[in-house]
Amino acid sequence: MSDHIRAPEQQAGPFGSPSFPSAVGRPAGPGSPSVGRPAGPGSPSVALLTLHAVRDYGSVLQTLATQVLLESAGARCTVLDFRRENAGDDALHRLAGSRHGRGPLMRRAYGLVHEREARRRALVFQDFLARRINLTRRHYDSYESLRGTADQYDSFCVGSDQVWNIARNLDNRPFYLSFLPPGVHRFSFASSPGTPTLPALEEERAVRALSAFDALSVREPSARDYLAGLGLDVQQHVDPTLAIPPAYWRGLASDAVLNHEYLLVHQLNRNPLLTQAVSRLAARTGLPVVRIGHWPTARMPLARRIVLPTVEDFLALIRDASLVVTDSFHGVALSHVFATQFIAAPPPQYGGCLASVLGLLGTRSRLIRSAKQTDVLPLRFGPLLFDRRRLGDERLRAGQYLRSCLAPLRAPRPEAS
């Protein structure tokens, strides 16, 4: 059964910390300078370069979280509407990353079948970005097109997420901020290469480019250790979705989407481990399976599909689930945010990111390597138990880092002689 979720709507809800903007009442419209907390006179302007254009719930939510954190640190944040040259909203761009991408006949057939689905998927995330993100009015579609931005902002920030994943980006120069001339203030926040190391040539490019940064922050401890081993001064911070207090996300999430208990599946990859684990867990718990569908044609046996819910409904589905089974980093992160019980089934690639956050928060036991583990894994219902004190400390560290990055931009400028 497939459910097409209700149209997007603004949701009300309190926000618990006076140092953060409310998640509600944010004006719609790209380029609106009033999106987020109004910046005071003299607040530095920061251009954020991130993966907002990836049509995925985690990508848009980490964009929002980074914007909110920068605003809370005192910046006027604008997200550069840059899209990787291999990204797009039509079916053929989706096909570029698919196993069906070989041969002109297959490409044409795939495009005919999936074009409408691809456009619909894009609209869900475009709607959220338009309502929640302070995007530039101009679209940047190449590395060269970014060169003219240097004199428009006081500083540039890159992050979070896998902005330095060369296998996906193909060209990391935009995300190394290499389009900026020397002397322009720049920093990263919770950035990730996605892999333990970079290829040798890319490693050389990375060291040259990142040496020009005023401050470096990565998401995984392994990335910190790797870059530090290359001679870079780098700190590690949690993903921005974790760095914001839960009350913000509760205020953003919609009302309950379903009125019964359920096992929620959030799957991003071809992952036999996850599929087998869901089957075993459904039999063991008796919970009905609800699967968030990114594509109407993607199915899971015996699962109820909710196809392309709004981002606010996506949050509510995680918040209200009895158990989440996911191979998504942000699915795991948001399960901690809402204290929802979860099991993480790592994908064939980039599973190290999952292991990292689980180790940090004391929930490594929720990571499975074999479907048979779900037969003996202790299952608890009720709020998730994890290291809340550690996460609270990490939130403080993230805020302190961003304020320190902005501090030089607030210093009085010497008067001209």
Side-chain angles (χ1 to χ4, degrees):
M1 179 167 54
S2 174
D3 295 279
H4 295 268
I5 297 303
R6 57 186 175 273
E9 57 185 23
Q10 295 285 354
Q11 298 294 337
F15 190 79
S17 170
S19 63
F20 285 83
S22 170
V24 299
R26 298 170 71 90
S32 170
S34 59
V35 172
R37 187 180 70 176
S43 297
S45 60
V46 175
L48 174 62
L49 194 64
T50 187
L51 298 175
H52 71 285
V54 177
R55 303 314 187 191
D56 170 71
Y57 295 97
S59 297
V60 297
L61 287 169
Q62 67 82 21
T63 300
L64 174 62
T66 307
Q67 174 181 279
V68 169
L69 288 166
L70 286 167
E71 290 170 346
S72 300
R76 289 177 289 118
C77 178
T78 301
V79 178
L80 296 177
D81 194 9
F82 170 75
R83 181 173 299 182
R84 299 180 299 194
E85 294 184 45
N86 62 333
D89 288 330
D90 58 13
L92 291 182
H93 277 96
R94 169 69 178 174
L95 180 63
S98 167
R99 61 190 173 93
H100 303 298
R102 300 181 180 89
L105 291 179
M106 180 62 75
R107 289 175 60 84
R108 182 179 179 187
Y110 189 95
L112 290 173
V113 171
H114 294 284
E115 184 66 25
R116 181 177 295 181
E117 297 173 12
R119 296 294 182 185
R120 180 186 167 207
R121 174 174 172 167
L123 287 174
V124 170
F125 301 108
Q126 288 172 349
D127 169 79
F128 181 81
L129 293 171
R131 289 185 291 112
R132 301 285 180 179
I133 302 300
N134 186 21
L135 279 176
T136 57
R137 295 188 183 279
R138 178 179 174 182
H139 301 279
Y140 300 92
D141 56 7
S142 68
Y143 170 74
E144 287 72 21
S145 68
L146 291 165
R147 290 187 181 276
T149 60
D151 60 353
Q152 299 177 29
Y153 304 93
D154 296 318
S155 182
F156 288 75
C157 174
V158 62
S160 66
D161 215 349
Q162 296 184 35
V163 288
W164 296 332
N165 187 325
I166 188 60
R168 290 182 175 175
N169 291 339
L170 303 182
D171 180 3
N172 269 355
R173 290 179 302 163
F175 299 102
Y176 293 152
L177 304 182
S178 298
F179 56 88
L180 296 175
V184 175
H185 190 272
R186 68 199 79 183
F187 62 98
S188 69
F189 177 60
S191 300
S192 174
T195 54
T197 61
L198 293 168
L201 288 177
E202 189 61 29
E203 183 177 277
E204 293 177 11
R205 296 189 192 99
V207 170
R208 284 197 304 270
L210 299 182
S211 295
F213 276 54
D214 294 88
L216 281 172
S217 162
V218 294
R219 192 175 67 182
E220 287 86 31
S222 58
R224 175 199 59 205
D225 296 343
Y226 169 57
L227 293 179
L230 299 176
L232 295 169
D233 183 10
V234 58
Q235 301 182 45
Q236 179 269 326
H237 297 97
V238 293
D239 187 86
T241 57
L242 289 166
I244 290 181
Y248 181 87
W249 298 120
R250 293 192 194 106
L252 187 65
S254 66
D255 295 333
V257 177
L258 301 173
N259 60 1
H260 58 79
E261 295 183 339
Y262 55 91
L263 184 160
L264 182 69
V265 180
H266 177 41
Q267 180 180 1
L268 295 184
N269 308 276
R270 296 184 184 278
N271 191 339
L273 171 61
L274 182 145
T275 303
Q276 295 166 18
V278 169
S279 178
R280 288 173 179 265
L281 287 165
R284 182 180 173 188
T285 64
L287 290 169
V289 177
V290 174
R291 184 178 189 272
I292 294 173
H294 290 75
W295 295 90
T297 52
R299 300 178 183 276
M300 175 177 283
L302 303 180
R304 173 181 179 178
R305 291 185 303 144
I306 297 183
V307 180
L308 290 172
T310 67
V311 177
E312 290 84 355
D313 280 355
F314 169 80
L315 291 171
L317 286 164
I318 292 180
R319 179 197 64 203
D320 298 336
S322 299
L323 179 65
V324 172
V325 183
T326 185
D327 60 1
S328 158
F329 176 92
H330 289 103
V332 165
L334 291 166
S335 294
H336 286 88
V337 165
F338 293 119
T340 301
Q341 296 289 342
F342 73 92
I343 289 176
Q349 286 185 302
Y350 314 126
C353 301
L354 282 179
S356 173
V357 69
L358 298 179
L360 180 74
L361 299 179
T363 49
R364 194 183 294 272
S365 63
R366 313 314 293 170
L367 182 72
I368 62 170
R369 299 292 184 182
S370 163
K372 291 183 179 180
Q373 285 180 255
T374 61
D375 297 337
V376 297
L377 190 70
L379 296 180
R380 301 180 181 89
F381 294 94
L384 175 71
L385 300 178
F386 65 96
D387 195 340
R388 294 173 183 266
R389 177 175 294 181
R390 177 65 184 272
L391 182 54
D393 291 343
E394 293 298 328
R395 288 184 179 127
L396 288 174
R397 287 184 59 247
Q400 290 167 354
Y401 168 78
L402 291 175
R403 287 191 293 274
S404 72
C405 290
L406 299 176
L409 305 176
R410 300 193 189 97
R413 297 180 179 177
E415 295 183 4
S417 55

